[in-house]
Structure formats: C-alpha cells, structure tokens
C-alpha cells in the first residue's frame, strides 16, 4: 500500500482490521530482526525518527541514528524497550543512516550487525559485541572487510556455521556492484535481463568477519531460470532473511517497489532457491521488511507498517503474527488487514 494511495484511508478502521498491533507505540520501529535466545524473544529493529530530509528513491529521509533492543518474555506478554543499544556517534567508521540490523549469539556473546553510510556516502556493514542480548554493544573499529550494501541477516545452521545474507537495490546501492566491486557507473540490469541477486558470505568462527568472498544467491522461477529484472512481483529488492523448516532452507525477501514479502526454497544455505510464493501482501507505507522467528514449535513473522503514523513511510511500527507452513512445504500468504 504505497504512500501515494493512502490519502483516503480511514486509519481508525484500518487499525481495527489489522491482523496484529504494534509491539511498542512510544517510539517508531521498523525492520525487525527477531530471535529466540535462551527462552526469551529479542527483537532488533531500526529506530525511525522524524526527518525534514526530502523524500527520494534513495531513502535519504530514512535518517535513523541508533538502535533499541526490544524483548518479550512470551508472545502474549508485554514488550520491553531496553533503550539505546548502539548510536552512530559511537561507530568510528560510520557517519549516518543506521538502517536495518540483525543479531546473532555464540558462546555467551551477542553480535549486532548493522549497515551505515561512511563519510564517502557508501554503505558498509559493521558489527558490535555485547555480553548481553540487550546491549549496550561495543562496535568494532572498522566495518567488516568485503561487506557492502545493506540489510545484513545472519543465519545459524544446525552444524554451527553462520552465514550473512545482505544486499538491497536503489538506496541500498547493490546496483553499483558487480563481482563485489563498486563502480558508480553501474546501474540496474535491463528489464529483460536477469535481476540483481542477493549476496551471502560465511562468517569466521568469531563472527567478526567473512571467511570467504561474498557470493551471489540464485533465485529461480518454476522453470529453473533466473528471475528477470522486469519481474517486479518476484525479483529480489532488499530485506534478506533465512530460516529452516523440515530440512529445507527458506530464503525470504522484499520485492521493494511492489511491496511483497516473498520466499524461495532451497537445499543448502547457498541456494539455488526456487521461488515459492508470497508470505505477506503489501502493508501501509512504502517499505516492507521482516524476519521469521521460531518459538518452540511455531513460526512467527515480525514485520512493520506505517499505520500508527497514519501512512508516513519513514515512521513505522513493528508487528508480529504467526505464519503457517502448509503440508506441501509452502507458506500460507497473509493479508496484513482483514477484509
């Protein structure tokens, strides 16, 4: 439900029809990365703030400066805001735009992964470490070597390996890269050409760097062909996420300008992945960004919309709803608002 279509929305009625309510309403939060650590749910969102920066296709008006950590003792309980866990002023290499983060846990340490723009205006991905899942987090002095673009999502596989998935086009700058090299003259492929692909890299044992050169992830159609740039309803735009169900790997993502959360299924963390369908139909606001968290034997979609701010795209609110894997392995599509 993009911003140019919201002027006639009755937000009171819309919020009554919403399938879920904001987890917090005292601040604006977005891009929720949810994890079940030590029997408790922790959510690592972006922290949206008011901005007088003009709207543009590069997302300059998304001017976030810090991260809060949210937690829930149980799914029906209160959501606690633990305050500022990391601020851009504390990150030596970063200048602005602390966009969608993620977190990981290993051997009693907690890792917060985040993209930010350097002084040269180029995004890179950093990591900060804490002894607590709620922070505060201490950032490494430099960004992760060979990282670029936005939307880090770190997946722990059953063998103890960790992988980072990342990338986003338009404001996320992925279109400027080919073979992990930046060139300002690069642009999106033509409509009839293969779409740009998300990126994955295995992490080192200390979770602070990549152990290999980043690789592209193939997303294929039902005929085994790469999705095309012109296939806006299915091709990757941003917001990578990975979860596992019944031995299969589910790579999910946002289609950006068509506002769907989609998924593709594969047999290993590198893919290839075959397009499976939609998880979530469009929400109020331009962006759609999510995570999927398993809590005991159920799976939950954490996402955001802009209904609390009455449609202001850069002032979003985190929500949560249970999702269903059907008997054939596909995920039932959700509408964010009841008919």
């Amino acid at each position: 439900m993009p911003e140019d279509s919201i002027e006639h929305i009755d937000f009171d009625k819309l919020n009554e029809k919403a399938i879920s309510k904001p987890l917090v309403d005292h601040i604006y939060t977005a891009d929720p990365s949810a994890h079940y650590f030590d029997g408790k749910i922790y959510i690592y969102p972006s922290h949206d703030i008011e901005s007088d920066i003009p709207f543009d296709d590069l997302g300059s008006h998304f001017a976030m400066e810090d991260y809060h950590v949210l937690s829930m003792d149980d799914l029906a309980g209160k959501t606690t805001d633990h305050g500022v866990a990391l601020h851009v002023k504390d990150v030596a290499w970063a200048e602005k735009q602390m966009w969608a983060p993620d977190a990981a846990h290993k051997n009693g340490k907690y890792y917060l992964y985040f993209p930010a723009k350097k002084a040269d205006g180029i995004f890179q991905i950093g990591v900060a470490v804490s002894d607590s899942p709620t922070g505060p987090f201490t950032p490494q002095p430099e960004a992760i070597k060979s990282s670029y673009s936005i939307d880090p999502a770190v997946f722990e596989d059953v063998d103890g390996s960790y992988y980072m998935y990342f990338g986003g086009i338009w404001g996320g700058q992925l279109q400027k890269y080919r073979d992990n090299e930046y060139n300002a003259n690069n642009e999106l492929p033509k409509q009839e050409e293969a779409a740009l692909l998300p990126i994955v890299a295995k992490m080192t044992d200390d979770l602070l760097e990549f152990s290999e050169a980043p690789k592209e992830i193939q997303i294929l159609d039902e005929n085994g062909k790469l999705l095309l740039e012109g296939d806006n309803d299915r091709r990757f735009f941003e917001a990578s996420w990975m979860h596992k169900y019944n031995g299969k790997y589910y790579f999910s993502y946002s289609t950006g300008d068509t506002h769907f959360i989609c998924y593709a299924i594969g047999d290993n963390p590198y893919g290839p992945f075959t397009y499976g369908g939609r998880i979530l139909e469009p929400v109020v606001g331009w962006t759609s960004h999510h995570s999927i968290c398993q809590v005991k034997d159920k799976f939950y979609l954490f996402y955001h919309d802009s209904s609390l701010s009455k449609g202001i795209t850069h002032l979003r609110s985190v929500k949560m709803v249970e999702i269903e894997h059907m008997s054939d392995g596909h995920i039932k599509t959700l509408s964010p608002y009841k008919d």
Side-chain angles (χ1 to χ4, degrees), residues 6 41 58 116 135 138 147 177 206 232 235 257 269 277 284 289 299:
I6 66 170
I41 303 155
L58 300 181
T138 301
S147 70
Y177 289 84
D206 62 8
N232 295 55
R235 65 88 174 89
D257 55 347
V284 167
H289 194 121
F299 289 80

Side-chain angles (χ1 to χ4, degrees), residues 28 47-51 61 63-66 314-315:
Y28 289 110
H47 175 204
D48 285 351
I49 59 174
E50 297 277 3
S51 170
H61 47 296
M64 300 89 93
E65 297 177 345
D66 63 20
H314 64 285
L315 297 178

